[in-house]
Amino acid sequence: MRRRQAAQERRSEISEIVSAKGFIRIDELAEHFGVTAMTIHRDLDELDARGVVSKVRSGAKATPIEEVERNVALRRHHMLPQKRAMATAALAWLDTVDERRQTRVVALDDSTSALTLVEELAGRDGLTIVSNFLPVIEQVAAAEHATMFGLGGTFSPGFQSFQGSSTHEAIRSIQIDVFFLSATAVGQGAIFHPEEGPLQVKRTLIDQAARSVLLVDHTKFSRRALHRQAGLSEMDAVVVDDGIDSEDLRRLREHVETVIVAEVTEEQES
């Protein structure tokens, strides 16, 4: 069991390194982790099969962001301990600002970061959850307490979400208390996404919500994406895991008043 967990932790760190650097050699990884090149080969075979990285002859290169964003199954398992930690912190924030439980409508975008909030939110009486993300819709619909308000439109199989003019019209027809969202990349005082369709839905949800809360793991600060989604100053709070670089954290706090650093515990890593 410990050996399997160590391999999982190493592979998770490998994916972070490759994502940050773009490319790294097998011998560099072997030296970094103090293991044999054959062990790294096995790690990369596993990561390549899951689409996390692309294994090449001498090492591994990062999977294009566009491909990652269209692979919901991959995103659900990527940085999972960090997502769990951020979900715990985000729910604690919600309970702190909403002591009297006056929040009645919570929106979740088509991100796997926001998806980690669903189990807890779906168990709350009197809460309506709004989303265009099929995994959220299915999970809340099966719950006994919360009400599901699904945002229809044109279904995008890759993103597993609904998009288009009908989706925007549905958003504008309701009031949203809190919107939890994520982004592909963070930089230059803003958040970015590689695709316009999902981005435009997120943008409309931000405009319609009384409060917007961003959930981003620390790897998003080293990524780049084409389209500007929103300014960081538009966020009422940002939740990030404790792997964030001190300089990235300093810059983040320049733009957002409430920054919550979520500690990743051993329980969340298991």
Side-chain angles (χ1 to χ4, degrees):
M1 178 64 74
R2 290 183 179 178
R3 184 177 297 177
R4 182 182 302 174
Q5 185 174 355
Q8 291 174 343
E9 292 174 355
R10 185 176 61 251
R11 288 166 186 170
S12 177
E13 187 174 344
I14 287 172
S15 69
E16 291 183 46
I17 294 171
V18 176
S19 177
K21 291 191 172 184
F23 171 81
I24 189 167
R25 295 177 58 87
I26 288 173
D27 56 358
E28 291 180 81
L29 288 170
E31 182 178 356
H32 176 81
F33 290 101
V35 297
T36 65
M38 187 57 66
T39 296
I40 297 298
H41 273 288
R42 287 195 292 267
D43 290 339
L44 295 181
D45 285 339
E46 170 68 19
L47 293 172
D48 183 89
R50 287 162 43 195
V52 178
V53 304
S54 297
K55 184 183 180 184
V56 295
R57 185 170 184 175
S58 59
K61 63 180 182 179
T63 302
I65 288 176
E66 293 80 0
E67 292 183 25
V68 173
E69 289 298 321
R70 292 193 187 97
N71 190 330
V72 174
L74 168 60
R75 288 193 285 128
R76 290 181 80 148
H77 296 285
H78 185 60
M79 305 295 289
L80 188 55
Q82 288 76 13
K83 289 173 183 175
R84 289 170 178 161
M86 290 188 295
T88 299
L91 290 166
W93 171 89
L94 180 62
D95 291 338
T96 299
V97 301
D98 188 34
E99 292 181 355
R100 298 181 181 180
R101 291 293 175 98
Q102 294 179 330
T103 295
R104 290 291 177 263
V105 183
V106 172
L108 305 175
D109 70 352
D110 60 351
S111 72
T112 53
S113 294
L115 185 59
T116 55
L117 299 167
V118 174
E119 184 176 357
E120 168 65 24
L121 292 176
R124 298 189 176 189
D125 290 318
L127 190 68
T128 295
I129 297 176
V130 175
S131 186
N132 67 321
F133 195 24
L134 185 59
V136 170
I137 294 172
E138 292 177 334
Q139 192 169 338
V140 178
E144 297 181 0
H145 299 280
T147 299
M148 183 67 231
F149 185 92
L151 300 170
T154 301
F155 185 66
S156 169
F159 290 100
Q160 289 287 290
S161 63
F162 296 90
Q163 303 169 19
S165 59
S166 297
T167 313
H168 294 276
E169 290 175 12
I171 296 169
R172 296 188 184 104
S173 71
I174 60 175
Q175 290 185 317
I176 299 170
D177 296 315
V178 179
F179 173 38
F180 289 104
L181 69 150
S182 190
T184 302
V186 182
Q188 298 177 322
I191 55 178
F192 295 82
H193 197 282
E195 299 280 351
E196 288 190 273
L199 176 150
Q200 290 169 354
V201 174
K202 295 170 190 274
R203 179 69 259 175
T204 304
L205 284 164
I206 291 171
D207 293 339
Q208 200 68 12
R211 290 174 171 167
S212 294
V213 180
L214 178 68
L215 284 69
V216 284
D217 68 71
H218 68 275
T219 65
K220 303 297 177 68
F221 291 83
S222 61
R223 292 185 179 181
R224 295 176 64 85
L226 180 60
H227 303 285
R228 188 180 190 275
Q229 182 172 311
L232 284 169
S233 60
E234 297 179 68
M235 300 296 107
D236 293 273
V238 173
V239 184
V240 65
D241 69 276
D242 57 6
I244 185 171
D245 178 80
S246 59
E247 185 60 22
D248 288 332
L249 182 59
R250 183 192 66 77
R251 286 194 291 262
L252 181 60
R253 285 175 168 155
E254 289 179 353
H255 298 280
V256 186
E257 183 175 346
T258 301
V259 176
I260 302 166
V261 179
E263 181 181 356
V264 181
T265 65
E266 292 184 5
E267 181 180 352
Q268 289 157 340
E269 290 178 341
S270 61

